Amino acid sequence: MGPWTHPLHRLALVALAWLLAALVAPAWAQSIESVLSPGKLIQGHAKWDEDCKACHVKFDRAAQDRLCMDCHKDIGADVRAKAGYHGRLKPQACNECHTDHKGRSAKIGAFDAKRFDHAQTDYLLRGKHVQTDCAKCHDAGKKWREAPSECNACHRKDDVHKGSLGPKCADCHTENNWKEAKFDHSKTRFALEGKHVDTKCGDCHRNKADYKDTPRTCIGCHRKDDDGAKGHKGQFGEKCESCHNAKAWKPATFNHDIDTRYVLKGKHRSAKCGDCHTGPLYKTKTATDCFSCHKKDDKHEGSLGKDCGACHTERDWKEKAKFDHDKTDFPLKGKHDEIKCDACHKSKLFKEAPKTCIGCHKKDDKHEATLGEACGDCHGERDWKTTKGRFDHDKTKFQLRNAHAAPKVKCDACHKDLKSFRKTATECVACHLKDDKHEAQLGRQCESCHTDRDWKVPGYDHNKTRYPLLGKHMKVACKDCHATPRYRDAPRDCYACHKKEDKHKLVFGTTCDSCHNARGWVIWDFDHDKRSRYRLEGKHRKVACEACHVKPAPAGKAFAALPSDCLSCHRKDDVHDGSFGMRCEQCHVADDWKKVSTRGLRSSAPPDRSRWLGWLQ
């Protein structure tokens, strides 16, 4: 071991160098550091041989890592993002792996490729990539991280598609085998179904260089099947999928009943496609009406239109028609359904047949056209002579109800002959004149009292007359007031009926209702204070009416006119012989004649002053 080669000697030398650096001038410091350098830097770092501070910071070993990543920016970015190989390693100093000062030719980035864990990188090795030599992907002279990660970078020579499918080889190929494709055809615009699943790619993709040019239509691959002896030779167009499917080209799956708007029935099922489809399908529209094919069979000369199926069937054109006459303007009912077609349709031009009853039944019209031509209003299809329940009389001006309704009243009871139905009178008296007990006194409006249920009046509303029934009058029998059916002869005054009840002997006249009311004859009330100009006071209230009203009342009056002075009734009680005049109420009161009050003397002067002064004394 030479001088200064022992570790202790080198440590002493370094300490001495630091001491000298602190003591001598700064200009010498860098040269001293160079002298004390442990060795030459690698070729890539050679420019910093004389500049230790480019990588080292005095008294701060951790700062060295920061300075490393300031230069190696891509690795620094990986460490900060925790991506790539360096970003996935556990935190450690850079010089743990990359130790410099070992000479210009030293390899401070060398590692054992066989033990290297590629999972720590951004590109995980799978399949055959695990066994692949590193040099096949990592080019010499380039950084390991610069190796491309897309398939096309390495397998461009293997791309038989010449880039037509893009650079995403992994969409189809796997790492296990380049020729083993895992392409999911269902994610394309042409999903594989039926026999297409087992078909080789090359059967459809003839040009490997451009898969996108492969046709997606059936005719693109199956034109030879359409042009063959049993093919359609293009007559049915290029939409093969309308009849054929991917399960098998034969037999055809076309269902005319479901796949079209024209269901095949009867002999149409045995007809060949070309019998109806004479022109190119999808270019020439095939008619769906019967008339287009069966015009020669139309015996009606087009008069019934082109809807032949309304009468004829697909089983046989000459088969008995299935025509539904109910769908026409003239539904067949009753006996009409039993007669033969030619009974009404004299020729094959069926629309010439009349639709009105009179057109066929004019000879049966017993009304001689007086009721018009709407025979169906009365007569039915079951029997011409049967009209029961057919004619709706309620639609006329005279509705039949209750006793008027059939079978109580027959038609000829009102209608005298078959030609006068429209001129029959509708007022009651026209039929019920013989039943009018009022001798026309109440007019011709019988319905105001009588109803069509029964001629007898069940409950006449007397309130609609000039004499409303009130009180006990409501319980009185009609005959008690109306002596005869000439009801208007009945009097309306009280006295006419209550003459026997008049105890006043006409003193109070005939206006009984002045005091009496309809609730009860004995219940009477006359308010003398409100209905006269003479108020009753004191004992006057207990005096009978006849005591004052002794003269008979004039016609139309309840009472005869009476004087209102006291002396008219109390002349016999006047002991003064008229010396004090006729105003007795100045001294006497109504409660008691003998009771004298002086209030009248104080308030008014008597006619003779000397007399009443003497009387007072």
Side-chain angles (χ1 to χ4, degrees), residues 34 54 108 114 186 255 312 319 349 354 434 444 494 527 563 590:
S34 300
I108 66 173
K114 294 183 179 179
S186 62
N255 189 334
H312 300 277
E319 184 180 339
L349 300 178
K434 63 182 182 300
R444 300 173 65 89
C494 305
D527 192 346

Side-chain angles (χ1 to χ4, degrees), residues 461-481:
D461 187 2
H462 219 286
N463 293 329
K464 294 180 179 180
T465 67
R466 292 175 293 177
Y467 192 86
L469 298 182
L470 304 172
K472 287 191 174 183
H473 286 167
M474 297 176 67
K475 299 179 181 180
V476 175
C478 301
K479 63 182 179 179
D480 291 345
C481 297

Side-chain angles (χ1 to χ4, degrees), residues 320 323-326 330-341 344 381-382:
K320 183 180 178 181
F323 180 66
D324 186 0
H325 217 285
D326 292 344
F330 193 88
L332 298 182
K333 298 179 181 178
K335 286 194 173 183
H336 286 165
D337 197 27
E338 301 172 4
I339 61 176
K340 295 182 178 181
C341 302
C344 298
E381 299 87 351
R382 291 187 296 274

